[in-house]
Amino acid sequence: VIKYLESAQYLRPDQLIGFFEGWPHPPSTARHLDILKAAHRVVLAVDSDNNRVVGFVNAISDGIQSAYIPLLEVLPEYRKRGIAAELVKRLVDQYRNLYMIDLVCDENLRPFYARLGFRPHTAMMIRNFDRQAGE
Ligand SMILES: CC(C)(COP(=O)(O)OP(=O)(O)OC[C@H]1O[C@@H](n2cnc3c(N)ncnc32)[C@H](O)[C@@H]1OP(=O)(O)O)[C@@H](O)C(=O)NCCC(=O)NCCS
């Protein structure tokens, strides 16, 4: 059974193993936990059989006008059962009174986000790859 939590307060780093698939310099589980705790909002999907976090989404925000969603990931063995959609829905619902909720995604995920109410726009970005692990 998957349960959804809206706080990382009581999480331990060992519950966060397996994320950042394919990242050349992924954050450690401890750094991942720091990221979740520092976020304005998070939604976590937890497998209640083993207490593992199997999916997460985070957001940074001023809490007044705008929010940005930097990260969304579901562990490979838990994909394709609607967990990511549920995470994003719950996050967007927390921000229903804001003016803008933005994210950047690859082209192939546009239909996924479009089903959740997002529409396409262009984005600009800076990526300091030597800072990817957040150390
Ligand atoms: C994208 C991701 C979060 C989806 O998680 P999920 O729990 O499987 O998503 P859901 O079950 O809610 O929805 C599945 C839908 O996502 C879309 N999707 C997921 N990966 C996709 C891909 N590589 N290409 C196109 N669509 C994709 C499809 O529309 C899929 O629908 P389908 O099952 O009918 O094919 C997951 O694949 C993941 O963690 N990927 C790696 C990290 C990543 O890309 N994050 C997004 C950052 S913007």
Side-chain angles (χ1 to χ4, degrees):
V1 180
I2 303 297
K3 59 182 183 193
Y4 292 91
L5 305 181
E6 300 194 343
S7 168
Q9 201 184 342
Y10 300 111
L11 219 56
R12 297 181 318 269
D14 63 276
Q15 291 175 274
L16 288 167
I17 292 166
F19 288 104
F20 299 100
E21 184 194 24
W23 285 46
H25 305 292
S28 64
T29 53
R31 218 59 186 131
H32 187 184
L33 184 55
D34 292 339
I35 289 167
L36 296 176
K37 284 184 173 167
H40 185 256
R41 295 258 193 273
V42 295
V43 187
L44 311 169
V46 177
D47 184 336
S48 43
D49 288 344
N50 53 23
N51 241 358
R52 250 181 115 185
V53 176
V54 301
F56 76 96
V57 64
N58 68 341
I60 55 178
S61 176
D62 53 32
I64 298 167
Q65 187 189 49
S66 43
Y68 178 72
I69 301 175
L71 297 169
L72 167 70
E73 189 170 351
V74 172
L75 294 180
E77 59 269 41
Y78 290 86
R79 286 178 192 168
K80 303 250 175 198
R81 21 166 151 156
I83 293 175
E86 188 63 27
L87 289 168
V88 174
K89 263 187 227 156
R90 285 171 184 252
L91 186 68
V92 166
D93 187 57
Q94 295 187 43
Y95 287 132
R96 60 190 173 278
N97 294 322
L98 297 191
Y99 167 58
M100 47 181 153
I101 306 170
D102 295 353
L103 59 86
V104 172
C105 73
D106 289 345
E107 183 81 40
N108 60 352
L109 284 177
R110 280 188 176 196
F112 168 78
Y113 285 114
R115 285 198 295 276
L116 295 165
F118 289 77
R119 56 196 174 83
H121 206 296
T122 54
M124 303 288 285
M125 59 173 80
I126 291 173
R127 292 288 183 271
N128 298 315
F129 284 103
D130 59 331
R131 303 296 310 144
Q132 193 177 67
E135 295 294 347

